[in-house]
Amino acid sequence: MPQIELAGKIYEVDEDGFLQELDKWNEEFAQAYAKTEDIEGPLTEEHWKIINYLRDYFKQFGIAPMVRKVCKDNGVDMKKLYELFPTGPAKGGCKLAGLSKPTGCV
Amino acid sequence: MAKSKTPLLDELEKGKWPSFVKDIKQAAQKSPMAEDLLQQLELSYKDKIGHWKHGGIVGVKGYGSGVIGRYSDRPDLFPNVQAFHTLRVNHPTGWFYKTDALRKLCDVWDKHGSGLTNMHGSTGDAILLGTKTEHLQPCFDDLSAAGFDLGGSGSALRTPSACVGPGRCEWACIDSLDVCYNLTMEFQDKIHRPMFPYKFKIKVSACPNDCVASIARSDFSIIGTWKGKILINPAEVTIYAGSDLDIQKEVCDLCPTKCMEWDGKTLKIHDGDCNRCMHCINLMPKALRPGKEKGATILVGGKAPIVQGALLSWVVVPFMKLEPPYAELKDLIERIQDWWDENGKSRERLGELIKRVGMRVFLKAVGLPAVPQMVKAPRSNPYVFFWPEEIQKEVK
Ligand code: HEM
Ligand code: SF4
Ligand code: SF4
């Protein structure tokens, strides 16, 4: 299992960099990780809103929400979502939120 | 001579069909990735299981689709295929290439990948097989510079594809190449950034022979057709009559609607009963032609078995004229996708959503009239729903 060092701490991740132990997630993890997903500078309030939303949804339902739901519930469109997370809501957003890897016919 | 490390695969170099093993071996001479791929495949032949791990999420900046991540489950044995990602490159419509375009593609892939390809993936894309994560973005950048873009993957609009149509075929009723290209450009955003409940495919065939199998392999099938009379060239009919072709037996008797008459001299078609199956035209291409008023039939719902069973697309618009800029067509696609996006469950294809809620609801939502051409036969059970507003209140 690969490991990654972020802000002085070691995390277990899979080959794609998705956090393996969800309870190890913290805000420093997300912030330190943002760089690798092409997000410059500190995470903004808009970023945190989406990240927290993804975490809450995942806690409640055990899966990541559908993209349309993310947009609707947060009042953002796809364009905005990709501005915030240039690598996309699945690869970028879910990764920073510490959700397990999206699966299926990708 | 050393013993071969791939005895099982070596068997597949025998025989007369072009051998993929030979080709991979040739690629392996300059690519360590191709060499390890061959070795891992040999192990799979031996173990009778795949040696790729489950899933993989990688990509390029700005896109949520186009790259399929893949990792070996035996990186200890085959370090060069530890990561072996696939890039889907949107193919030119109808798969017409010039050699310089293919050379550019090969140069990029020799630089960044295994050198192995699939020409082409079933959906249509040129598939670049096998590269490492750190090569994805530079490879994409080089592809862009060479004039290529990625195709679709995931819960997105997948790469549309079309038959060669008017490029080479006298039966083409619509410009399948132009329709396909136009839709691809129109819906770039939906291809690159997955936004749907599940995948959505569009395929365009320019006549009912359906050479891209759009009816079986796309959620939205566009199939060229015509209205009015099949064009008959009597002189050519006479030539066919003098050939090996038995017009009565092989053409008229096999016409599914039995709408043709042949008295040994003149061929008559009762076009009102013709269902434009193409059989007579296929057999007598020099004598018969699709009619003058051309357009397309629009069908929806085609999909593979998972979850609810395989479906062939079925008719939702019997005839639509298709001319650039295809406003009516695009509008219909948008309305259907919006309705599906709003109502579809996670991983529910369009065909399954329509099965779940019914054609009645679908047609009303996208604003299409119910017409007899949509069904093969009327329903046989009496469990008919009515819209409340359609029921007349009892008048005393
Ligand atoms: C446990 C007892 C019963 C069971 C499981 C049962 C089950 C059924 C089923 C499955 C149907 C077909 C419904 C459909 O296809 O929509 C049916 C229809 C019918 N049953 Fe029963 N039934 C029972 C008792 C009775 C009794 C006691 C009567 C009469 C006194 C009766 C009269 C009818 C009639 C007239 C129909 C036809 C209704 C129609 O076609 O509109 N059933 N029943
Ligand atoms: S689908 Fe019809 S028009 Fe297209 S290539 Fe086949 S025969 Fe020709
Ligand atoms: S196209 Fe088919 S249905 Fe029409 S006349 Fe020819 S064979 Fe008959």
Side-chain angles (χ1 to χ4, degrees), chain A residues 15-16 18 38 66-68 72 78 82 86-91 101-106, chain B residues 53-54 56-59 61-62 64 71 153-154 158 193-195 197 199 341-342 346-347:
Chain A
E15 296 88 349
D16 292 326
F18 283 81
D38 291 308
M66 281 162 69
V67 179
R68 188 179 182 85
K72 257 187 163 170
M78 286 287 283
Y82 274 84
T87 53
K91 181 170 177 292
K101 175 152 63 185
T103 54
C105 182
V106 294
Chain B
K53 279 195 196 176
H54 182 76
I57 291 279
V58 287
K61 194 175 160 177
Y71 299 98
S153 67
R158 301 298 183 82
R193 285 167 279 276
M195 60 179 291
K199 64 182 85 163
D341 203 7
E342 186 67 39
S346 181
R347 295 189 184 277

Side-chain angles (χ1 to χ4, degrees), chain B residues 167-180:
Chain B
R168 295 195 61 104
C169 183
E170 64 249 68
W171 295 328
C173 296
I174 51 172
D175 190 340
S176 50
L177 303 172
D178 191 53
V179 173
C180 180

Side-chain angles (χ1 to χ4, degrees), chain A residues 51-71:
Chain A
I51 291 174
N52 290 328
Y53 169 83
L54 290 172
R55 289 188 61 77
D56 287 347
Y57 191 98
F58 192 82
K59 248 184 235 150
Q60 204 181 337
F61 300 106
I63 51 164
M66 281 162 69
V67 179
R68 188 179 182 85
K69 190 123 185 63
V70 179
C71 292

Side-chain angles (χ1 to χ4, degrees), chain A residues 14-67:
Chain A
D14 69 3
E15 296 88 349
D16 292 326
F18 283 81
L19 189 62
Q20 292 302 288
E21 305 146 296
L22 300 182
D23 54 330
K24 296 275 165 67
W25 184 89
N26 58 61
E27 295 191 354
E28 289 77 52
F29 168 87
Q31 179 59 64
Y33 214 170
K35 218 170 49 256
T36 68
E37 296 302 310
D38 291 308
I39 300 168
E40 305 284 333
L43 292 168
T44 63
E45 213 171 291
E46 285 174 309
H47 284 113
W48 286 118
K49 190 175 159 198
I50 304 282
I51 291 174
N52 290 328
Y53 169 83
L54 290 172
R55 289 188 61 77
D56 287 347
Y57 191 98
F58 192 82
K59 248 184 235 150
Q60 204 181 337
F61 300 106
I63 51 164
M66 281 162 69
V67 179

Side-chain angles (χ1 to χ4, degrees), chain B residues 18-192:
Chain B
S19 161
F20 73 95
V21 176
K22 268 188 199 159
D23 290 349
I24 299 180
K25 281 188 176 173
Q26 194 184 345
Q29 283 171 8
K30 56 178 184 179
S31 161
M33 285 185 104
E35 175 61 33
D36 274 13
L37 179 78
L38 205 61
Q39 303 304 331
Q40 179 173 314
L41 188 61
E42 178 74 16
L43 184 64
S44 281
Y45 269 59
K46 193 163 146 261
D47 298 347
K48 300 197 170 86
I49 51 164
H51 278 292
W52 301 110
K53 279 195 196 176
H54 182 76
I57 291 279
V58 287
V60 298
K61 194 175 160 177
Y63 286 10
S65 74
V67 186
I68 293 91
R70 196 66 79 230
Y71 299 98
S72 170
D73 74 357
R74 295 305 305 270
D76 52 326
L77 297 178
F78 316 113
N80 293 311
V81 294
Q82 183 268 331
F84 198 76
H85 311 316
T86 290
L87 286 134
R88 290 191 179 148
V89 177
N90 200 326
H91 62 294
T93 315
W95 301 278
F96 288 103
Y97 289 94
K98 281 188 174 177
T99 52
D100 62 347
L102 286 170
R103 278 203 185 92
K104 277 186 202 160
L105 199 59
C106 291
D107 287 345
V108 172
W109 196 230
D110 275 340
K111 184 169 152 199
H112 293 289
S114 69
L116 300 175
T117 68
N118 175 4
M119 298 299 264
H120 294 79
S122 310
T123 298
D125 303 274
I127 306 280
L128 305 182
L129 274 175
T131 189
K132 297 181 194 324
T133 310
E134 61 271 24
H135 270 286
L136 289 174
Q137 190 65 43
C139 181
F140 173 69
D141 295 343
D142 284 350
L143 284 171
S144 293
F148 291 95
D149 197 354
L150 294 186
S153 67
S155 293
L157 176 61
R158 301 298 183 82
T159 307
S161 53
C163 77
V164 297
R168 295 195 61 104
C169 183
E170 64 249 68
W171 295 328
C173 296
I174 51 172
D175 190 340
S176 50
L177 303 172
D178 191 53
V179 173
C180 180
Y181 181 73
N182 197 309
L183 294 180
T184 305
M185 298 314 279
E186 175 82 16
F187 297 129
Q188 281 291 298
D189 198 40
K190 293 180 177 185
I191 294 176
H192 297 313

